[in-house]
Amino acid sequence: MLRQIGDVRINVLDEGSGPAILFLHGLGGCWRDWEPQLDMLGDSYRCIVVEHRGHGRSQRVPGPYSTRLFAEDALAVCRHLGVDHAYVVGLSMGGMVAQQLALAAPDFVDALVLCDTSTHTGRRAREALLAAAELVRAQGFEALAGLLGDEDRGWARRTLAERPEVARDNRRESSSNDPDCWAWAVDALVEHDTRGKLAGLGIPALVVWGAEDGSVPLDFARPLAEELGGAEVVVLEDAGHVCNLEQPEAFNRTITEFVAAHPPRG
C-alpha cells in the first residue's frame, strides 16, 4: 500500500502480528526481495517491508538520494504505522540504510541484522558502479550487459542450477526500475561510509552472509562484525548475495533464533 510520507509516496507492506521486524532491500530491489520472509514469518512477527523511494512501487522522485535519506523514510514509515521500536534487517544497500537508521535512532532498534553489506564501497567497486550508473542514465539497463562482469557471480551455483527463476525474477525486478532513480541510488550507495561509527551503538547485532556471494565476498563479513563491536557471523551455505531468497528456511531460522535471544527493548 502506498503511504504518503512527507513529500513522497512510499510503498509499504505491513503483514502479520507480534514483534515488529523492518526489512530493507538493496539496490534496485523491491518488496519481492523479502517475499519468503513475509510468507514464513508473518504468523509470529509483524513484518514491515519498505520500498525505498525511486524503487519498486514507491514514487519516482528526483535525487539526490542517500542512505541517510532512505533511513529517514523508513523510520518515518514506522512512525506513521505507530511502530516505535523494531528489529531491523537490511540486505546489501539495505544493510547500509539499516546502519544509518541505527545511528540516527538507536532507541528504535531492538536488534540489527546486516546481510551481505559493508560500511563503505571500495575504490574498484565504486568506479564500476558509477560507470554503470552513467551508462544506465544514458542508455537504459540493456547497456549494462557485460559491464559489471558475469551477471551470475552474485548467485550460488545451486541456485542457478536448481532454481534459476529466483535469479531471473530478481533481475527482472531490478531492470524495471527507473534508470535515473537507480543511478541516484548508486550515488547513495557509493557515498555511504559508516567506518568507525558502529561499535558504540550498544545494539545487539548479527551479520549474515551467503557463502558464495561474488558481489560482496565473504571476506567482508568479519571486518563488518568487528565494526559492530564483535557481532556474531552466520554463513549460509549454497547462498550468494541475496541469501534470504536463496536459502529462505535457513535465513528465517537464523533470524528467529537471533530475535528470540534478544527480546524487544521497548
Side-chain angles (χ1 to χ4, degrees):
M1 179 183 294
L2 286 170
R3 309 270 183 164
Q4 188 69 40
I5 305 298
D7 60 352
V8 61
R9 293 190 303 278
I10 300 290
N11 192 44
V12 183
L13 277 76
D14 179 10
E15 300 182 2
S17 60
I21 305 179
L22 171 65
F23 293 98
L24 302 169
H25 66 74
L27 173 68
C30 67
W31 73 267
R32 290 189 181 278
D33 290 2
W34 299 108
E35 192 166 11
Q37 285 64 59
L38 288 165
D39 290 345
M40 299 177 191
L41 299 180
D43 289 342
S44 301
Y45 302 97
R46 182 179 182 180
C47 298
I48 301 167
V49 177
V50 173
E51 291 188 324
H52 307 306
R53 63 173 65 201
H55 288 72
R57 286 76 178 162
S58 289
Q59 187 176 358
R60 270 69 167 157
V61 293
Y65 297 165
S66 68
T67 54
R68 184 175 299 175
L69 178 61
F70 291 147
E72 291 171 356
D73 287 342
L75 185 60
V77 164
C78 290
R79 303 295 194 206
H80 176 82
L81 297 174
V83 175
D84 57 10
H85 62 95
Y87 298 96
V88 180
V89 181
L91 173 74
S92 193
M93 186 187 76
M96 295 178 170
V97 177
Q99 294 167 42
Q100 294 286 16
L101 195 157
L103 288 168
D107 290 342
F108 175 84
V109 182
D110 290 323
L112 191 61
V113 182
L114 302 181
C115 314
D116 299 86
T117 189
S118 182
T119 56
H120 65 288
T121 303
R123 180 182 59 81
R124 285 195 295 178
R126 176 188 177 93
E127 291 174 354
L129 284 164
L130 289 175
E134 183 177 353
L135 197 59
V136 166
R137 279 190 176 105
Q139 301 179 36
F141 286 99
E142 296 82 0
L144 278 184
L147 179 66
L148 297 178
D150 182 3
E151 66 177 4
D152 289 339
R153 68 176 183 160
W155 300 92
R157 292 184 297 273
R158 185 172 179 179
T159 301
L160 295 172
E162 299 180 5
R163 301 170 63 216
E165 70 280 359
V166 173
R168 180 200 65 209
D169 293 347
N170 187 263
R171 294 190 197 103
R172 284 174 173 168
E173 288 288 347
S174 182
S175 62
S176 70
N177 278 277
D178 178 88
D180 287 326
C181 292
W182 187 87
W184 283 317
V186 167
D187 293 340
L189 189 158
V190 300
E191 292 303 319
H192 174 87
D193 193 340
T194 55
R195 284 175 286 186
K197 300 178 181 179
L198 302 176
L201 282 172
I203 296 171
L206 176 69
V207 172
V208 182
W209 227 270
E212 298 179 44
D213 188 346
S215 298
V216 185
L218 183 56
D219 290 346
F220 286 78
R222 181 54 58 189
L224 177 60
E226 291 173 357
E227 287 274 357
L228 290 161
E232 179 186 0
V233 177
V234 173
V235 179
L236 301 182
E237 299 298 327
D238 294 320
H241 188 61
V242 193
C243 61
N244 65 299
L245 287 182
E246 297 186 73
Q247 292 296 326
E249 292 83 3
F251 182 89
N252 290 347
R253 184 169 58 252
T254 297
I255 296 300
T256 55
E257 289 175 355
F258 177 69
V259 165
H262 299 283
R265 300 163 69 192

